[in-house]
Amino acid sequence: MSDPDKNALIEHILTRASDKIGDITAPVMALFYQRFPQARQMFEHHGSDRVYNLEGEMVQQALYCLMYWFDSPGEVEIVLWGSVPHHNDTLKVPPEIYQGLLTATSEVIFDTIPPERDDERTVWKELCDDLGGLIEHSRQYVTDPKTD
């Protein structure tokens, strides 16, 4: 399947999710905090009195990566290769927490795809695998806390 065809499916998936859920921030963060309860304290620390805004910004960044991967993979690579090390080294948010938010975002959206839409499910899984691989690759740019 060509990237333009994949983009059309991704757009359809995201439109459906928006129609079904609306703002996905609350369900994404609920799933994320369920899996990473220690992350709530990180958001409270970095978000201060605007935790909800920070949560929304992080979900928006995850959506950006999901929306534009097939259209602009270079841009998404730059975002992740810069953001993952920054979050780890400066904000003390390890890559697995960063990955966890992207995974929660992708799963909330995936759950809106009808089971009979194999084409959509296949493209969405490919997209998530690609982005997960990028985050894993970005670990090489993370400062090892044991050597600091």
Side-chain angles (χ1 to χ4, degrees):
M1 180 179 301
S2 71
D3 285 351
D5 292 336
K6 291 176 184 177
N7 280 334
L9 285 177
I10 296 300
E11 184 176 333
H12 184 75
I13 291 166
L14 292 171
T15 299
R16 180 190 309 108
S18 176
D19 290 345
K20 283 188 169 188
I21 302 171
D23 182 356
I24 67 167
T25 302
V28 166
M29 295 310 296
L31 180 59
F32 175 64
Y33 288 143
Q34 177 184 359
R35 293 179 179 163
F36 297 94
Q38 72 275 28
R40 184 178 302 275
Q41 183 178 10
M42 294 173 185
F43 271 86
E44 289 169 358
H45 172 74
H46 295 296
S48 193
D49 61 343
R50 37 181 283 322
V51 171
Y52 184 76
N53 291 343
L54 180 58
E55 292 171 342
E57 290 170 15
M58 294 305 299
V59 171
Q60 185 178 27
Q61 184 175 24
L63 281 171
Y64 176 86
C65 293
L66 292 163
M67 287 171 60
Y68 293 107
W69 172 244
F70 291 119
D71 189 43
S72 301
E75 281 183 40
V76 175
E77 286 174 349
I78 290 168
V79 167
L80 292 177
W81 287 350
S83 187
V84 172
H86 167 73
H87 277 77
N88 183 81
D89 299 349
T90 304
L91 303 174
K92 306 304 179 209
V93 176
E96 54 273 5
I97 300 285
Y98 196 99
Q99 174 68 48
L101 183 64
L102 182 67
T103 299
T105 304
S106 67
E107 288 179 5
V108 165
I109 295 168
F110 183 82
D111 288 345
T112 67
I113 302 173
E116 67 274 7
R117 292 303 311 253
D118 290 334
D119 56 343
E120 292 181 17
R121 289 174 169 267
T122 299
V123 166
W124 195 257
K125 286 180 181 178
E126 176 187 345
L127 168 64
C128 295
D129 288 347
D130 288 352
L131 293 177
L134 273 177
I135 291 173
E136 187 59 36
H137 177 76
S138 71
R139 285 180 181 265
Q140 70 181 324
Y141 305 109
V142 167
T143 303
D144 183 358
K146 295 177 182 133
T147 62
D148 282 347

